[in-house]
């Protein structure tokens, strides 16, 4: 059975009430990326960055998975072959919707990281600058998310999955951020059929063999079922 590799972005969580980044009134219209999603921004003003992620962590904790998250979990349960979900999202709505083995390439709001010793643990609801690391005690802690200029997680596994994919779907992503935006080309080069499921054409729409545009809670269950 063909392996199915799925990449998701903020658009799959939009109907669960979590903001996207580049839509009108998106997150990046309120916070300059360089201030809140780069290591330099964190070094300059850790309180601003921790507050940015505390707000998003609180919102994500209240959000519920939607029909698109649940449809992907159904696909994983019902499809005889392997279904790998790679997400750029840092919320846990795929898992809440029943998905398993989700690869969070940009990290997770629910996790914290110590820059000094590399220890990772479940983030408290509210993180503050210079919170001590529970392992080494040093005040070098941060949200365990991948900022611009940092290397995404699980890249070796992701490239391997894309090289063996028979079907690649990108759901709810604008195709602006790399290396995720290049996954469709990687999958197509390996012979996979490629489909974009998004509210509107992404900047990489021309890379896809098939497109289905509409709200994720409509187009994803239709596509899965
Ligand atoms: C890296 C942090 C080196 C967590 C984020 C070329 C090659 C390699 C790198 C680069 C390159 N060119 C530039 C770079 C550098 C940079 C980059 O891509 N810059 C961009 C701006 C040009 N990339 C990096 O720095 C990355 N690191 O490259 O390291 C490397 C390279 C290869 C291999 C190893 C190492 C690190 C990038 C990670 C940055 N961190 N976030 C957080 O705060 O969340 S990125 C941020 O954007 C979020 O993580 C988000 O997930 C991500 C992508 O955005 P989308 O999810 O697509 O969201 P967006 O709002 O843009 O779009 C939403 C879409 O949904 C829209 O299309 C909309 O129409 C649709 N939609 C809306 N509502 C619905 C809907 N669809 C369906 N239904 C709906 N209801």
């Amino acid at each position: 059975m063909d392996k199915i590799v799925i990449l998701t972005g903020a658009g799959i969580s939009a109907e669960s009430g979590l903001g996207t980044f580049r839509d009108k009134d998106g997150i990046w219209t309120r916070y300059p990326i360089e201030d809140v999603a780069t290591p330099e921004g964190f070094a300059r003003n850790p309180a601003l960055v921790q507050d940015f992620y505390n707000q998003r962590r609180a919102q994500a904790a209240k959000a519920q998975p939607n029909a698109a998250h649940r449809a992907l979990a159904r696909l994983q349960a019902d499809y005889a072959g392997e279904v790998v979900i790679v997400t750029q999202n840092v919320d846990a709505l795929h898992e809440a919707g029943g998905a398993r083995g989700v690869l969070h390439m940009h990290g997770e709001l629910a996790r914290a990281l110590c820059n000094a010793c590399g220890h990772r643990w479940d983030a408290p609801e509210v993180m503050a600058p210079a919170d001590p690391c529970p392992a080494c005690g040093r005040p070098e802690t941060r949200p365990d998310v991948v900022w611009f200029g940092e290397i995404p997680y699980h890249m070796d596994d992701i490239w391997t999955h894309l090289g063996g994919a028979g079907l690649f779907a990108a759901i709810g992503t604008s195709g602006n951020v790399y290396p995720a935006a290049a996954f469709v080309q990687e999958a197509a080069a390996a012979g996979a059929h490629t489909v974009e499921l998004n509210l509107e054409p992404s900047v990489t729409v021309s890379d896809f063999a098939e497109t289905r545009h509409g709200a994720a809670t409509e187009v994803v269950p239709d596509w899965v079922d």
Side-chain angles (χ1 to χ4, degrees), residues 8-21 27 53 56-66 69 85-97 102-111 144-145 172:
T8 64
I12 199 170
S13 297
E15 289 161 275
S16 295
L18 297 185
T20 61
F21 291 88
I27 293 174
Y53 285 99
R56 289 177 59 201
R57 191 175 298 109
Q59 286 161 2
K62 290 195 302 261
Q64 294 301 317
N66 62 49
H69 296 108
I85 299 173
V86 180
T87 188
Q88 300 172 92
N89 300 340
V90 291
D91 62 57
L93 293 179
H94 279 301
E95 292 84 350
V102 178
L103 298 177
H104 284 269
M105 64 181 289
H106 292 165
E108 297 174 79
L109 280 170
R111 300 286 282 168
D144 188 15
V145 297

Side-chain angles (χ1 to χ4, degrees), residues 10 15 21-22 53 56 106 146 149-150 173-174 178 198-199 216:
E15 289 161 275
F21 291 88
R22 297 170 183 82
Y53 285 99
R56 289 177 59 201
H106 292 165
V146 177
E150 297 187 319
T173 181
S174 64
Y178 287 84
N198 204 53
L199 189 64

Side-chain angles (χ1 to χ4, degrees), residues 39-213:
E40 298 77 13
F42 183 63
R44 249 192 332 269
N45 188 342
L48 171 73
V49 175
Q50 289 289 19
D51 180 53
F52 173 64
Y53 285 99
N54 289 337
Q55 285 180 48
R56 289 177 59 201
R57 191 175 298 109
Q59 286 161 2
K62 290 195 302 261
Q64 294 301 317
N66 62 49
H69 296 108
R70 288 194 297 273
L72 295 186
R74 251 195 335 273
L75 179 64
Q76 275 190 321
D78 299 346
Y79 181 65
E82 190 181 3
V83 180
V84 178
I85 299 173
V86 180
T87 188
Q88 300 172 92
N89 300 340
V90 291
D91 62 57
L93 293 179
H94 279 301
E95 292 84 350
R100 296 181 318 285
V102 178
L103 298 177
H104 284 269
M105 64 181 289
H106 292 165
E108 297 174 79
L109 280 170
R111 300 286 282 168
L113 167 66
C114 174
N115 271 342
C117 72
H119 180 61
R120 285 184 170 81
W121 67 100
D122 290 341
E125 262 178 56
V126 176
M127 291 187 74
D131 280 348
C133 166
C136 75
R138 279 171 283 183
E140 314 283 325
T141 56
R142 54 173 280 182
D144 188 15
V145 297
V146 177
W147 286 323
F148 286 95
E150 297 187 319
I151 295 181
Y153 292 149
H154 307 296
M155 288 312 301
D156 291 344
D157 289 344
I158 293 169
W159 295 132
T160 303
H161 287 309
L162 291 169
L167 173 59
F168 174 79
I171 303 175
T173 181
S174 64
N176 279 295
V177 175
Y178 287 84
F183 290 174
V184 54
Q185 290 167 343
E186 197 70 19
H193 175 65
T194 56
V195 57
E196 170 174 277
L197 305 172
N198 204 53
L199 189 64
E200 59 201 11
S202 75
V203 298
T204 51
V205 66
S206 57
D207 295 337
F208 288 86
E210 180 189 356
T211 58
R212 296 185 185 205
H213 292 137

